[in-house]
Amino acid sequence: MRFAFPAAVISACLASTAATAQAQSLPSAAPEEVDSTVELDRIQVVGTRERGYRPTTATTANKSDVAIKETPFSIQVVSRELIADRGVTTFGEAVRTVPGLTPQVGFLGSNDRFRLRGFATPSNLKNGLRRSVFIPIDELANVEQIEVLKGPASALYGRFEPGGVVNIVTKKPLTEQRTTVDFTAGRYDFLRSTLDTSGPIGDTLGYRITAAVQDNDSFRDFADARTHFVSPVLAWRPSVDTEVVFELEYVHREQGLDRGFGNSPLFLQVPVNRNYGEPYARGTNISRLGSVTLAHRFGNDWNLRLAAQATEGELNGLYVSYGFPAVSGAATPDPQVNRFAQPVFDRERDGVLQAELSGLLTGYGIEHRVLAGTELARTTEDSRFSSAALGPLNLFDPVYGQQPGAVFAGFFNTVNRTRALYVQDEMRLGTQWRLLLGARYDRAEYTSEDSFVLEGAQGGGDDDAISPRVGLTYTPSEAVSLYASWAESFVPEVFNRLRSGSLPKPARGEQREIGAKFSLLQGRFTPTVAWFDIRRLDGIVADPTDPTFTFVIQTGEQRGRGWEFDLPLVVNDSWRLLASYTRLDARFTEDPDLRGNRLANAPEENASLWSTYDLAGPLRGLSVGAGAHYVGEREANNVNAFQLPSYTRLDANVAYRFGERDRWRAQLNVQNLGDKRYYDSGGSFVPTYPGAPRTWTASLGLTF
């Protein structure tokens, strides 16, 4: 299919509530000790209207402050200003402007997931620490920016798929008192209020509290939700060189559990609001996070970082799943949707301990920025699943109210322990060349006990792997950087089983990437262009010969190959634009049943565009914004039985800042202006989820 972006290319704009500068560290406890050669406060400038939407540094890539332009990997950052300008309220919507990323609705519609360069992401990073994504909810209220690193990240972070990794960076205490409150209302009885307050406590302490309360219905039947979120952060700086940050998160969500549409093309003919569950299919999702990070700066450019994080996601409820097959009598006038009820209790826990030492060394004319670290991690999942018979529904005329029959109960428990060591050396070779060498050794020990998929199945084992990466950057001028890189990935599999009852082998991946990064027009135009080739070995997919989707198979090789570009542009002080495009060929290359098939939910083409414009003169304070998201045709499952159609979604908004120092902000957002019918995601394990029809929200905020 030839890519065609909408002709109504966007010239509009929008304003941001982000302040022109935010100080991200506390004042010194002892000013008299200040030396003129020591910089006390690290100032991160965010939200200035003269800057583009992509920040110039991201610690995810190398765990350092090296500029993105000098990093031999493709990385994009979703800034707080872009989130505010687009007026989005969910994690999934915030990352839509990232090239190579495809939305993927999470389990039962309870959270947001996605694919990077065609491959799923079973985990994210939160402030650089690993967190599973099956159950936990990520709220946007406390997010400062989202960093998306493309390609294998195992050389620094361990168990990740080869498509890439997402790091969520949360808001930290400010040096000056500031409070922002927002109230939002919208279609489908959407109500949301947020609080963000921060400031110093004496000379050495600072706090930040973010909170959100949301009550919403949905365009989907029986899929309403009520969410409460709070995150307190305390930063303590006992000296100029030492800072300790304590952070907590708590999310409580009660919602209708929505399984989307079944894996059959017949569902593409029914209204998008239709839910084939029952009104009583509901659940409670609770997510908790606690972390502490100590950063200490020694003399001579050496730094110590110690971090610990514990997270838990818990889902308790009942949902209605599709039978096998999802539809019977497909060729008759009255197809029947097969169903069964599943009471569920699922608890997912992650614990991570990290210690890192980094610094600068020089010798023989070469500058070395070195990093050495160690990590201990433990991931557990404790699941209690039940299955009960439930009568079918007519596909075109469902009548609800049936009750579940006899219950079959089962469980599975998994434990995955990892010990790791990693090293990295970023070398500056003269003024134009940079060489990056890094590797991580992981030792994984895991156990799995299962009575639901296969009665009495037990398993376990241990695997180790060395995951290297190499990158070279050549900067012939300040305006241009050319790079090439190679990296590998490693992921043990403990949550699924083969037909034999045994656990699959660890999946391994490899990527080669070349690209170019630019800084043009005095830094106002900073495009990135990248070509990549990813190979994933022994990756798991649903067994195509198993109609119940109970078992998995390991494919010999999956390949994702393509190119992408990211174009952030500041036209002038009032007009900012961001465009991206990805061309991807993701398919099975070495499997007797699936060879040649395309990977599910991996479109050949994907693009986005967003632009904001701040008006001047008598209309000062008024901003307008508009954008478009294009997703090409995708396979709905790995057997390529049917396709999800391509779509272009148009969004727009208008904002007005007013009052003393622009403290007030009013904003109107409209998503899916054309009321386009589209599908957010699909897959063999994941049902098909439709996107929302035309939706609007109106918000009013105050900063003081």
Side-chain angles (χ1 to χ4, degrees), residues 558-635:
Q558 302 167 34
R559 187 197 69 207
R561 176 189 292 169
W563 57 274
E564 63 189 26
F565 64 71
D566 187 61
L567 306 177
L569 172 64
V570 179
V571 181
N572 54 44
D573 291 352
S574 300
W575 188 4
R576 290 160 310 288
L577 184 145
L578 178 63
S580 67
Y581 174 79
T582 303
R583 180 80 181 188
L584 174 68
D585 180 22
R587 63 181 65 246
F588 297 91
T589 54
E590 292 182 7
D591 183 84
D593 297 311
L594 299 172
R595 183 173 182 176
N597 285 11
R598 296 187 57 82
L599 300 185
N601 204 33
E604 289 189 13
E605 294 180 296
N606 195 353
S608 73
L609 175 67
W610 182 261
S611 181
T612 65
Y613 189 82
D614 303 331
L615 280 73
L619 297 178
R620 181 193 172 278
L622 186 66
S623 301
V624 291
H629 303 282
Y630 172 82
V631 178
E633 185 180 80
R634 296 151 289 158
E635 297 296 334

Side-chain angles (χ1 to χ4, degrees), residues 291 324 361 372:
S291 69
F324 311 107
L361 297 172

Side-chain angles (χ1 to χ4, degrees), residues 262-594:
N263 210 270
S264 166
L266 288 178
F267 289 98
L268 306 186
Q269 304 175 25
V270 303
V272 295
N273 66 287
R274 185 160 296 166
N275 189 331
Y276 291 94
E278 292 285 346
Y280 56 76
R282 304 189 62 80
T284 300
N285 190 323
I286 299 175
S287 298
R288 304 176 180 91
L289 179 147
S291 69
V292 58
T293 303
L294 181 149
H296 179 73
R297 181 175 54 193
F298 300 103
N300 301 321
D301 296 311
W302 283 86
N303 300 277
L304 174 69
R305 177 179 175 272
L306 304 176
Q309 178 175 282
T311 68
E312 179 181 75
E314 182 179 295
L315 176 64
N316 191 2
L318 180 146
Y319 67 95
V320 175
S321 192
Y322 290 99
F324 311 107
V327 177
S328 296
T332 68
D334 295 308
Q336 299 295 303
V337 178
N338 299 312
R339 312 179 300 162
F340 57 94
Q342 288 199 271
V344 60
F345 173 83
D346 198 310
R347 179 186 289 128
E348 194 170 44
R349 290 172 171 166
D350 286 285
V352 183
L353 297 173
Q354 274 185 4
E356 296 175 348
L357 182 66
S358 61
L360 289 176
L361 297 172
T362 57
Y364 300 101
I366 300 175
E367 179 185 281
H368 300 262
R369 185 183 297 268
V370 296
L371 167 74
T374 183
E375 179 181 284
L376 298 177
R378 187 175 189 267
T379 299
T380 66
E381 183 164 0
D382 178 14
S383 298
R384 300 291 184 269
F385 279 91
S386 301
S387 180
L390 190 64
L393 291 179
N394 186 287
L395 178 70
F396 300 113
D397 187 20
V399 177
Y400 302 97
Q402 301 180 57
Q403 296 299 315
V407 173
F408 167 76
F411 69 89
F412 71 87
N413 303 317
T414 64
V415 179
N416 193 335
R417 298 179 180 88
T418 303
R419 293 169 290 171
L421 296 171
Y422 50 95
V423 293
Q424 179 179 270
D425 187 1
E426 298 174 83
M427 290 173 274
R428 184 183 294 275
L429 311 174
T431 60
Q432 295 181 316
W433 294 89
R434 295 182 67 95
L435 175 64
L436 181 147
L437 301 175
R440 171 166 164 148
Y441 170 77
D442 280 276
R443 176 69 175 178
E445 299 174 351
Y446 44 88
T447 60
S448 176
E449 190 177 11
D450 189 339
S451 72
F452 187 79
V453 174
L454 198 63
E455 180 65 33
Q458 295 186 3
D462 54 76
D463 289 285
D464 55 5
I466 296 177
S467 304
R469 69 172 182 171
V470 179
L472 183 66
T473 304
Y474 173 56
T475 307
S477 70
E478 284 295 318
V480 181
S481 289
L482 308 175
Y483 72 88
S485 60
W486 168 81
E488 292 188 344
S489 66
F490 164 75
V491 183
E493 176 55 56
V494 298
F495 301 109
N496 296 280
R497 291 189 179 273
L498 307 172
R499 278 184 179 271
S500 64
S502 61
L503 295 174
K505 296 181 294 184
R508 300 177 186 267
E510 179 185 31
Q511 176 187 266
R512 292 174 174 84
E513 179 177 331
I514 59 174
K517 302 178 184 182
F518 304 88
S519 181
L520 309 173
L521 305 178
Q522 290 79 50
R524 292 186 291 111
F525 184 39
T526 55
T528 297
V529 181
W531 177 90
F532 55 89
D533 187 299
I534 301 175
R535 307 297 173 104
R536 182 179 184 236
L537 302 177
D538 293 322
I540 64 164
V541 297
D543 188 337
T545 64
D546 174 19
T548 68
F549 297 104
T550 300
F551 300 104
V552 298
I553 62 171
Q554 290 196 278
T555 62
E557 181 184 86
Q558 302 167 34
R559 187 197 69 207
R561 176 189 292 169
W563 57 274
E564 63 189 26
F565 64 71
D566 187 61
L567 306 177
L569 172 64
V570 179
V571 181
N572 54 44
D573 291 352
S574 300
W575 188 4
R576 290 160 310 288
L577 184 145
L578 178 63
S580 67
Y581 174 79
T582 303
R583 180 80 181 188
L584 174 68
D585 180 22
R587 63 181 65 246
F588 297 91
T589 54
E590 292 182 7
D591 183 84
D593 297 311
L594 299 172

